[in-house]
Amino acid sequence: MSETESGSETNEFESEAKIDATSTPDVSVEYPLQVDGLRKTFGGITAVDDATFQIENGTLTGLIGPNGAGKSTTFNLITGMLKPDKGTVTFNGEDITGMEPHAIANKGLVRTFQIARELEDMTVLENMMLAPKNQRGEKLWRSVTPGVRNDVIEQEEELLERVWEVLEFFEIDHIAEEYAGNLSGGQRKLLEMARALLTDPDMLLLDEPFAGVNPSLEKRLLTHIHELREQGYTFLLVEHDMDLIMENCEHVIVLHQGRVLTEGTPADIKSNEEVIEAYLGGNV
C-alpha cells in the first residue's frame, strides 16, 4: 500500500462520527422543520394542497385531521418517501425537498411508521445494533485489516453499551434476545422508537405510534416521549385520538383536504368553531 493510499484511508477512518451514548439533539435552530407550499396530486386527486407550517424546536406538535386529510402524504413528502409536485421542505436551515429517505434520516429527521417495520427474523438486540450510523464494521476491509479491526471492535463495544442503555430506557431490555416477530404490537412500537433514537435524530416524526397499543404501553410510550422532549428532542405526531393530542401536545396543526385549516394551542383548537364543526363534532 502506498503512503498516499494509507493516508487517504486514515483520513476517511478518522472522519467517521464516533458513537456517543450521551448524544443530544441540535437545538440551535428555532424552527428546525419548515414546510412551505407543499402540493401533491395523484391523478385528479389533490392529496396535499399548499400545506405550510413550521415546527418549533423542543416541542411536541400534533398533526390532526380526518381520514383523507393528507396527514400521511404530508409525512411522506417531508421524509422523502414521496416527491412533491411543488413546495419546499427545510430542515435545520437546509432545503431537503425531494431527497432520498436515507439521506434525510442521516441529517437527523427520522420517522416511525403506523405499522412497525422491524426485522422479524432477528432478535430485538440485533435490530437495535443495525440502527446507528457510521458503523466502521460495515466496510469489510476494516473488519479484517490488522490494527484497524481493533478500532472496529472498540466501536462495537461502545455501541453495544449504548444499545443496552436505550433498551433499558424503553424498558424492553428483558426481551433483548426475543425475535422481533414474536413481539406484541406495543412492544414493536417501543422497539421502533428505540431504534429511531439510536440514529441520533434531532427530530422525530411519529405516525400513529399508539395504534393497536394497550393502555399500559401507551402510557409508557407517552412517558418516554415527554422525557425525550425534555432532553431537547422535537416531535411531530400524527394521531387519531383527540383526547391524547389535546392532553399531551403543546401545539396542534389541523389539516383539511390537504391544507392547513388552522393551528394553535389545544385550547385554541378546542374553541375553534370551524374545527369543531368539521372534525370534532363538538365532543372535545
Side-chain angles (χ1 to χ4, degrees), residues 38-270:
L38 274 191
R39 180 179 175 86
K40 183 66 178 180
T41 59
F42 299 97
I45 299 174
T46 301
V48 178
D49 186 11
D50 196 34
T52 300
F53 58 86
Q54 56 188 13
I55 305 299
E56 186 176 352
N57 212 339
T59 60
L60 175 54
T61 299
L63 182 65
I64 67 172
N67 290 334
K71 302 183 300 299
S72 294
T73 304
T74 299
F75 257 40
N76 288 334
L77 293 171
I78 292 172
T79 56
M81 305 294 290
L82 291 172
K83 311 300 181 186
D85 298 329
K86 60 176 291 188
T88 59
V89 179
T90 304
F91 183 65
N92 284 341
E94 180 180 357
D95 186 348
I96 61 168
T97 311
M99 286 186 179
E100 294 298 321
H102 70 272
I104 292 174
N106 283 337
K107 292 182 180 298
L109 181 59
V110 177
R111 71 167 295 174
T112 64
F113 292 85
Q114 182 178 351
I115 300 175
R117 299 189 175 188
E118 71 287 331
L119 299 173
E120 295 186 352
D121 295 329
M122 300 180 72
T123 67
V124 169
L125 184 61
E126 290 168 338
N127 269 271
M128 294 284 285
M129 290 291 287
L130 290 175
K133 299 176 290 189
N134 300 317
Q135 294 191 47
R136 298 165 187 163
E138 291 177 350
K139 296 185 178 179
L140 178 61
W141 70 267
R142 288 205 167 107
S143 300
V144 299
T145 304
V148 176
R149 175 169 170 73
N150 292 335
D151 290 302
V152 173
I153 294 173
E154 179 183 351
Q155 190 196 43
E156 287 182 347
E157 291 173 348
E158 293 173 355
L159 171 58
L160 184 60
E161 181 179 352
R162 182 182 172 206
V163 164
W164 277 109
E165 289 175 357
V166 176
L167 285 171
E168 290 171 3
F169 176 79
F170 282 95
E171 302 176 69
I172 53 174
D173 50 307
H174 63 289
I175 56 172
E177 300 300 332
E178 183 64 70
Y179 285 105
N182 296 334
L183 303 185
S184 69
Q187 289 171 331
R188 294 185 184 200
K189 293 294 180 71
L190 287 167
L191 172 57
E192 184 170 43
M193 196 175 300
R195 285 194 309 176
L197 189 62
L198 281 172
T199 65
D200 292 329
D202 290 336
M203 181 174 176
L204 286 162
L205 278 64
L206 308 181
D207 189 359
E208 297 194 34
F210 308 106
V213 175
N214 66 50
S216 176
L217 282 177
E218 178 182 292
K219 184 176 180 180
R220 281 172 56 187
L221 273 168
L222 281 168
T223 296
H224 295 317
I225 289 171
H226 283 295
E227 288 176 349
L228 291 168
R229 186 189 57 76
E230 290 171 1
Q231 294 175 24
Y233 289 91
T234 304
F235 291 90
L236 178 60
L237 167 67
V238 166
E239 176 58 45
H240 283 293
D241 187 334
M242 294 298 101
D243 289 336
L244 187 150
I245 289 289
M246 297 302 173
E247 292 170 7
N248 291 277
C249 293
E250 301 142 281
H251 193 78
V252 180
I253 300 167
V254 183
L255 284 183
H256 173 51
Q257 297 180 352
R259 300 178 67 92
V260 176
L261 176 64
T262 188
E263 59 180 301
T265 66
D268 294 333
I269 301 305
K270 286 182 179 181

